Structure formats: structure tokens, C-alpha cells
């Protein structure tokens, strides 16, 4: 199994940055506690406060796929429904 790195970009809709930030912050401790999560770090763009970046490392793709189906991620999706302007991620293999 190869270690997986993810860089996720989340862009909140105008006027929704505070709500999206609060919901993203809820994910951090819950995700870090998941088996196979190496790190899960949330960042906010200094020049665009509606842009958030998650930098994640996982022991394997299978573990990350399981994470995506977790209850706390579903709750985040429900809470931010209609509040996200754009979401994309870069899926990378960690190289030693």
C-alpha cells in the first residue's frame, strides 16, 4: 500500500466563509483521530479568507476512501450544502 497525500481546496460562497471555516474546524480533531490518518491540517488563505486548504496524509487510499464515508464528513456536507462555491482536490502518492 502506498501512502496517499491529498491537497483539498475549498472556496466558500460570498458571505459564507465564517460558517464554512467553523464546519471545517470541526472536522480536524475527528479526522485526526481516525485510524490511518497521518496528518490533517487546515489552512486559510491570507489574501482570500473564503479559500481554505486541507493538507492530508493517509496510510493508504483505502483508509482515505473509508474516511470519505464517515458520519462527520456527511454532517459537514449537510451543514455546508449551498455554502461552497468550489471544491477540488489533488490526489498524490507520497514518495520517500
Amino acid at each position: 500500500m502506498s501512502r496517499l497525500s491529498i491537497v483539498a481546496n475549498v472556496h466558500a460562497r460570498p458571505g459564507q466563509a465564517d460558517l464554512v471555516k467553523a464546519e471545517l474546524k470541526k472536522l480536524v480533531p475527528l479526522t485526526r483521530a481516525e485510524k490511518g490518518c497521518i496528518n490533517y491540517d487546515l489552512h486559510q488563505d491570507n489574501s482570500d479568507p473564503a479559500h481554505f486548504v486541507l493538507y492530508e496524509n493517509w496510510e493508504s487510499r483505502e483508509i482515505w476512501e473509508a474516511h470519505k464515508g464517515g458520519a462527520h464528513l456527511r454532517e459537514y456536507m449537510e451543514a455546508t450544502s449551498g455554502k461552497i462555491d468550489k471544491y477540488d482536490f489533488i490526489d498524490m502518492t507520497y514518495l520517500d
Side-chain angles (χ1 to χ4, degrees):
M1 282 188 281
S2 297
R3 198 163 109 183
L4 181 68
S5 297
I6 301 290
V7 177
N9 289 285
V10 178
H11 297 265
R13 289 188 184 270
Q16 300 300 319
D18 289 341
L19 181 142
V20 171
K21 179 180 178 178
E23 293 301 321
L24 285 167
K25 287 177 79 171
K26 289 178 188 177
L27 292 176
V28 174
L30 298 170
T31 302
R32 286 180 179 167
E34 290 180 53
K35 179 183 179 220
C37 178
I38 297 167
N39 69 290
Y40 190 83
D41 302 321
L42 175 62
H43 308 272
Q44 187 173 24
D45 188 327
N46 290 330
S47 62
D48 179 3
H51 177 208
F52 302 92
V53 175
L54 286 158
Y55 178 67
E56 314 170 31
N57 282 288
W58 297 88
E59 290 179 5
S60 72
R61 174 173 302 285
E62 293 77 17
I63 292 170
W64 178 66
E65 292 289 346
H67 153 74
K68 293 191 315 181
H72 56 280
L73 210 52
R74 282 193 308 274
E75 291 169 8
Y76 161 80
M77 298 296 280
E78 290 173 14
T80 61
S81 178
K83 311 290 193 276
I84 303 294
D85 189 38
K86 180 181 171 190
Y87 168 79
D88 61 65
F89 68 91
I90 302 167
D91 174 335
M92 300 175 284
T93 298
Y94 176 81
L95 302 176
D96 286 320

